[in-house]
């Protein structure tokens, strides 16, 4: 009986994961390989606690925010893999793609059902682009479908107040509603520090220099 249940759950999870934008995840991201700094260690610990004790979190999610290059997408991608390894269904997407998928004339309801049914929904890059007035309703359809039922993990470059202002610029009231949804259902965790992307630039340049030295 236990084997049958595991098989049925794996089958269900596989069907849900078909609607996940895994190509947007950070390749090779794991929690063990995430390099913490003073301004990111708490965010890492919160994500780690969520993956290890998701049952205790219930419907509560996480709003992870901070400047570019601090590893928000790395942590969310790693959380996706970690949770799936424990038989938990996770749909990973970006805010832009979520709205694009729910605008499709064919397949819209399949995506909406997957967003609602997944044990965990992860929406990265929230606020990177502001939806048109008529598109915001699709985002709220997804959020409302999970409210007080299942957790959402968010990644954003903006504080909730900055996010509120950006969305309200497009349509007054939408940003306030979004902020209230996030605050009601999530803990807010900020990552601070220096971007790691310049470090990668230096590393890539050093690798190139070593290659060129072979030809001298």
């Amino acid at each position: 009986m236990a084997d049958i249940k595991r098989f049925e759950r794996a089958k269900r999870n596989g069907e849900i994961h078909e609607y996940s934008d895994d190509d947007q995840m950070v390749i090779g991201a794991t929690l063990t390989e995430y390099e913490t700094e003073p301004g990111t260690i708490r965010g890492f610990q919160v994500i780690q606690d969520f993956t290890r004790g998701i049952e205790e979190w219930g419907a509560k999610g996480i709003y992870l925010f901070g400047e570019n290059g601090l590893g928000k997408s790395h942590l969310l991608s790693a959380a996706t893999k970690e949770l799936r390894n424990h038989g938990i269904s996770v749909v990973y997407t970006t805010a832009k793609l979520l709205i694009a998928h729910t605008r499709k004339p064919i397949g819209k309801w399949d995506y909406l059902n997957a967003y609602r049914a997944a044990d965990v929904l992860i929406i990265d890059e929230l606020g990177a682009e502001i939806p048109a007035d008529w598109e915001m309703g699709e985002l709220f359809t997804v959020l409302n479908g999970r409210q007080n039922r299942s957790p959402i993990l968010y990644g954003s470059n903006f504080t909730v107040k900055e996010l509120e202002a950006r969305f309200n610029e497009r349509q007054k009231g939408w940003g306030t509603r979004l902020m209230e949804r996030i605050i009601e259902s999530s803990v807010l965790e900020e990552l601070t520090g220096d971007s790691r992307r310049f470090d990668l630039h230096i590393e890539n340049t050093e690798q190139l220099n070593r290659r060129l030295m072979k030809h001298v």
Side-chain angles (χ1 to χ4, degrees), residues 95-109:
K96 179 180 179 180
L97 286 175
L98 181 150
I99 292 171
H101 293 320
T102 56
R103 287 170 49 199
K104 295 178 178 178
I106 299 177
K108 167 181 177 176
W109 294 107

Side-chain angles (χ1 to χ4, degrees), residues 63 126 140 143 147 154 159-165 167-168 173-186 188:
Y63 182 80
L126 184 61
F140 278 97
L143 301 187
Q147 192 78 4
Y154 302 90
T159 68
V160 289
K161 293 299 293 183
E162 290 169 339
L163 194 69
E164 177 186 20
F167 274 70
N168 277 343
W174 281 113
T176 302
R177 288 179 60 193
L178 176 60
M179 181 196 67
E180 290 173 347
R181 292 289 193 289
I182 292 171
I183 290 177
E184 288 173 5
S185 61
S186 311
L188 312 182

Side-chain angles (χ1 to χ4, degrees), residues 8-207:
E8 290 177 346
R9 183 167 185 81
K11 183 175 181 293
R12 170 185 174 274
N13 288 358
E15 293 171 349
I16 290 174
H17 294 162
E18 290 181 8
Y19 299 93
S20 180
D21 294 300
D22 289 5
D23 60 330
Q24 300 298 307
M25 292 166 54
V26 177
I27 298 174
T30 65
L31 292 179
T32 55
E33 293 179 356
Y34 181 78
E35 298 179 4
T36 59
E37 297 177 358
T40 62
I41 188 168
R42 179 177 165 86
F44 164 77
Q45 290 172 337
V46 169
I47 291 293
Q48 187 178 58
D49 184 79
F50 182 88
T51 61
R52 292 178 174 178
I54 185 173
E55 295 84 3
E56 298 174 9
W57 279 72
K60 187 72 69 178
I62 302 168
Y63 182 80
L64 201 65
F65 67 99
E67 297 293 332
N68 278 326
L70 296 177
K72 297 183 297 296
S73 294
H74 182 118
L75 286 175
L76 295 175
S77 299
T80 300
K81 298 173 186 177
E82 189 75 19
L83 291 167
R84 287 178 180 175
N85 287 340
H86 289 86
I88 296 166
S89 60
V90 184
V91 169
Y92 181 106
T93 189
T94 65
K96 179 180 179 180
L97 286 175
L98 181 150
I99 292 171
H101 293 320
T102 56
R103 287 170 49 199
K104 295 178 178 178
I106 299 177
K108 167 181 177 176
W109 294 107
D110 293 328
Y111 276 97
L112 286 174
N113 288 334
Y115 294 149
R116 186 182 303 109
D119 296 322
V120 178
L121 174 63
I122 295 181
I123 306 175
D124 204 357
E125 301 178 10
L126 184 61
E129 294 188 20
I130 305 302
D133 300 353
W134 58 274
E135 294 173 324
M136 290 186 186
E138 305 295 355
L139 176 60
F140 278 97
T141 296
V142 173
L143 301 187
N144 291 337
R146 298 183 64 87
Q147 192 78 4
N148 300 319
R149 293 180 55 253
S150 304
I152 301 177
L153 306 188
Y154 302 90
S156 179
N157 291 348
F158 305 97
T159 68
V160 289
K161 293 299 293 183
E162 290 169 339
L163 194 69
E164 177 186 20
R166 283 175 62 81
F167 274 70
N168 277 343
E169 284 179 4
R170 177 62 65 95
Q171 178 67 40
K172 187 176 180 180
W174 281 113
T176 302
R177 288 179 60 193
L178 176 60
M179 181 196 67
E180 290 173 347
R181 292 289 193 289
I182 292 171
I183 290 177
E184 288 173 5
S185 61
S186 311
V187 297
L188 312 182
E189 287 297 330
E190 182 178 14
L191 301 185
T192 61
D194 297 324
S195 172
R196 300 176 183 178
R197 292 180 181 175
F198 190 74
D199 293 336
L200 291 174
H201 162 68
I202 294 174
E203 181 181 335
N204 291 337
T205 300
E206 290 175 346
Q207 290 176 354

